[in-house]
Amino acid sequence: MLARVPDGRHLSEPGIYNWDIAADRVYGDTAVAFLFGLEPGSVDGGLPIECIVERIHPADRDDFIQAFQTAVITASALQVQCRIRTSSEEYAEIVVHGRCFFESGAPRYLSGVLHALPAQDESNAALSHLVTAHALYEREGHKQEANWVLDLLARIVKPEFEDRVASLAGK
């Protein structure tokens, strides 16, 4: 499945990045630029890490920074999930993986990949679970539970889906 970012475009490949810690320059490919809402090629020549951090959702910044600091200090693998502001000024969910490399015992580079996560519509997922629960209860002969789920569905679905719920009920 291709990840879909809010501006409607798809990203099928991960972005590759390299942070030169000593020079404070983040280099990346066009996928990195696209995801962070930067001009294509803008990260080819490297950008200060702050240019990347400022594109991260304010509520996610501390976790992002902490994950990078921990990877640099402990030489452990980096994995952090956060929301980033795209070129359409909306937020997309990404996951970042990486590893710090050392030179003469000092952290030198943090390199890795990042990719967009598929957009999840939580309300659709919840409805899907309820419909599945209804089908299971029906199949197992648990009429009371099936009716309870059906009643719940009838109370929470949008008007345009009422016919589908009614068809589940056999009405």
Side-chain angles (χ1 to χ4, degrees), residues 28-45:
D29 62 8
T30 55
V32 171
F34 168 69
L35 273 173
F36 279 90
L38 303 168
E39 288 296 317
S42 65
V43 288
D44 286 354

Side-chain angles (χ1 to χ4, degrees), residues 9-158:
R9 295 191 289 175
H10 290 87
L11 184 65
S12 60
E13 65 183 62
I16 302 168
Y17 70 91
N18 182 48
W19 177 30
D20 181 335
I21 298 166
D24 186 29
R25 305 299 287 178
V26 176
Y27 300 87
D29 62 8
T30 55
V32 171
F34 168 69
L35 273 173
F36 279 90
L38 303 168
E39 288 296 317
S42 65
V43 288
D44 286 354
L47 295 171
I49 189 88
E50 186 56 37
C51 291
I52 301 298
V53 171
E54 70 185 12
R55 305 287 304 171
I56 296 170
H57 192 284
D60 297 341
R61 282 185 192 153
D62 288 344
D63 289 342
F64 181 86
I65 292 167
Q66 182 63 48
F68 269 72
Q69 288 175 338
T70 300
V72 169
I73 292 168
T74 66
S76 60
L78 165 73
Q79 181 175 331
V80 64
Q81 190 170 325
C82 62
R83 294 163 288 176
I84 50 109
R85 195 169 66 239
T86 64
S87 59
S88 63
E89 298 302 319
E90 296 182 51
Y91 285 94
E93 190 90 14
I94 65 167
V95 65
V96 182
H97 301 274
R99 170 99 39 206
C100 188
F101 297 95
F102 291 76
E103 187 175 276
S104 301
R108 180 69 176 126
Y109 300 104
L110 198 148
S111 303
V113 297
L114 54 91
H115 59 90
L117 296 175
Q120 295 287 327
D121 184 339
E122 292 178 23
S123 60
N124 283 344
L127 288 175
S128 175
H129 288 297
L130 287 171
V131 169
T132 301
H134 176 266
L136 288 171
Y137 285 138
E138 281 283 317
R139 186 175 65 222
E140 298 295 324
H142 301 288
K143 296 289 183 194
Q144 183 178 1
E145 290 84 355
N147 288 335
W148 179 83
V149 171
L150 199 57
D151 181 55
L152 180 61
L153 280 166
R155 285 187 277 144
I156 65 172
V157 298
K158 295 177 182 176

